[in-house]
Amino acid sequence: ILNVECPYEQVINIYREAKLKFEQIGWLEQAAQIANSISHYQEKLISDENLRKLEKQKLQKEGEELQKLKVETRLAREAEAELMKQKVQALEKKKQKAREYESKKEQAFNLMDLAKRELHLNKFETAIKFYNESEKIFSEINWKEGIQMVRGSIKAIKKKKEKLEYERKLKIQQEQEKLAYISQMDEKISKAHELKKMQEDQKRQEFLVIQRQKEQERSISEQAYKLLEIGTELKDKKKFDEAHEKYI
């Protein structure tokens, strides 16, 4: 918008001149309409001026930010160069320190290898002893990673030892529970056989009782039928009282 000329001021001047012409000939209504148009374009002129002012401020701010960015970029590059220099120095120092401590590290790692061999043979105490010696060397050269690595290995050994001990006890417990279960099952089977035998004996006794009851019933029924036959014979002979007694 700063590259475009503002037309509103010129428009307002033309409308003012037209308003004067209308007023000179007494056309007041048209003059009033022109006055409204003048007010309208005065507002647009104010808006245009404000917009141009904002655009100028924006350009000024962008220029300041660009300058600030250039300064910050330069400072960042200088800081990056200094940081890179420090990194190179630190790396060189680290390499030098690594070369100086290389022999001790190698000694500590050899002890760790011995500890691993002992660990494969489940010689936990000997393995821990070698790891403790390697930890002392790592402490002498102040290598925290090595110390943490050794302590982690010792912790793993103790866990493995505890696990094997737990598995051993668990196996013994399972064997004991298995034996107890077998013994319990044998006892249950024995009791089941005894119970079966008792049930069979009981059924046999019940069968004998039923047989005896049936024999007794058969004997009594035979006696009853004989009395009925006698009663019938007495009835046929008109001996009703005696027949009645036999029936009873």
Side-chain angles (χ1 to χ4, degrees):
I1 192 174
L2 297 179
N3 296 327
V4 180
E5 184 179 357
C6 178
Y8 301 127
E9 189 172 356
Q10 185 178 358
V11 171
I12 291 169
N13 291 331
I14 294 173
Y15 273 121
R16 283 176 177 170
E17 186 177 351
K19 179 174 176 292
L20 289 175
K21 296 293 184 181
F22 282 127
E23 288 176 347
Q24 288 176 359
I25 62 176
W27 286 22
L28 300 180
E29 183 176 351
Q30 285 77 4
Q33 292 177 358
I34 293 295
N36 291 334
S37 297
I38 292 172
S39 298
H40 172 70
Y41 282 103
Q42 284 177 338
E43 292 177 357
K44 294 183 72 67
L45 177 62
I46 294 171
S47 297
D48 184 83
E49 290 175 348
N50 290 334
L51 183 58
R52 291 173 185 274
K53 183 179 179 181
L54 288 174
E55 285 295 320
K56 290 179 180 179
Q57 291 176 352
K58 180 180 177 182
L59 290 175
Q60 183 180 358
K61 184 177 181 180
E62 288 177 353
E64 292 174 353
E65 290 179 351
L66 180 62
Q67 185 64 26
K68 182 180 178 181
L69 180 61
K70 289 180 180 179
V71 174
E72 290 178 350
T73 303
R74 179 178 58 79
L75 294 175
R77 288 176 180 173
E78 292 176 356
E80 185 178 359
E82 181 63 24
L83 181 61
M84 183 61 67
K85 180 180 178 181
Q86 293 177 0
K87 284 184 178 180
V88 171
Q89 292 176 350
L91 182 61
E92 184 62 29
K93 186 177 181 181
K94 185 177 181 180
K95 289 180 179 179
Q96 183 179 357
K97 186 177 181 180
R99 288 192 295 269
E100 292 174 355
Y101 293 164
E102 184 177 355
S103 61
K104 286 195 173 184
K105 282 186 180 180
E106 185 177 357
Q107 182 183 356
F109 282 123
N110 289 335
L111 289 170
M112 291 177 69
D113 290 337
L114 292 174
K116 291 176 183 177
R117 293 195 194 101
E118 296 297 320
L119 180 60
H120 287 311
L121 299 174
N122 288 337
K123 295 181 179 180
F124 302 111
E125 298 302 327
T126 307
I128 291 174
K129 179 181 177 182
F130 282 129
Y131 273 123
N132 286 331
E133 291 178 3
S134 64
E135 183 181 354
K136 290 179 181 178
I137 296 175
F138 286 136
S139 298
E140 289 176 2
I141 61 178
N142 195 26
W143 194 36
K144 294 181 180 179
E145 291 83 357
I147 295 172
Q148 292 176 355
M149 181 170 54
V150 170
R151 290 178 179 175
S153 299
I154 293 174
K155 187 176 180 180
I157 291 174
K158 290 180 178 179
K159 284 186 176 180
K160 183 178 180 181
K161 183 179 178 182
E162 291 174 357
K163 182 181 178 182
L164 291 176
E165 184 65 20
Y166 171 76
E167 291 176 350
R168 185 184 68 81
K169 291 181 179 179
L170 181 61
K171 186 176 181 180
I172 294 173
Q173 181 181 353
Q174 289 175 344
E175 289 293 332
Q176 292 175 347
E177 290 177 353
K178 182 178 179 181
L179 293 173
Y181 175 75
I182 293 173
S183 176
Q184 186 179 7
M185 291 303 298
D186 290 340
E187 183 179 355
K188 286 183 178 180
I189 293 171
S190 177
K191 287 182 178 180
H193 286 314
E194 291 178 1
L195 179 60
K196 184 178 180 182
K197 185 178 179 182
M198 289 175 61
Q199 290 175 344
E200 290 175 351
D201 291 340
Q202 184 178 359
K203 288 181 179 180
R204 192 179 298 109
Q205 293 296 328
E206 291 175 353
F207 178 75
L208 293 175
V209 170
I210 292 172
Q211 287 295 105
R212 284 196 295 271
Q213 289 177 350
K214 287 183 177 180
E215 291 175 358
Q216 186 178 4
E217 288 175 0
R218 185 170 56 252
S219 175
I220 294 172
S221 63
E222 288 176 355
Q223 294 176 12
Y225 280 122
K226 286 180 180 179
L227 289 171
L228 288 173
E229 289 175 357
I230 296 171
T232 303
E233 290 176 357
L234 291 171
K235 175 176 72 71
D236 292 339
K237 294 178 180 180
K238 307 297 183 179
K239 295 179 180 182
F240 299 113
D241 292 335
E242 294 178 0
H244 180 267
E245 183 182 353
K246 295 299 181 180
Y247 283 138
I248 295 300

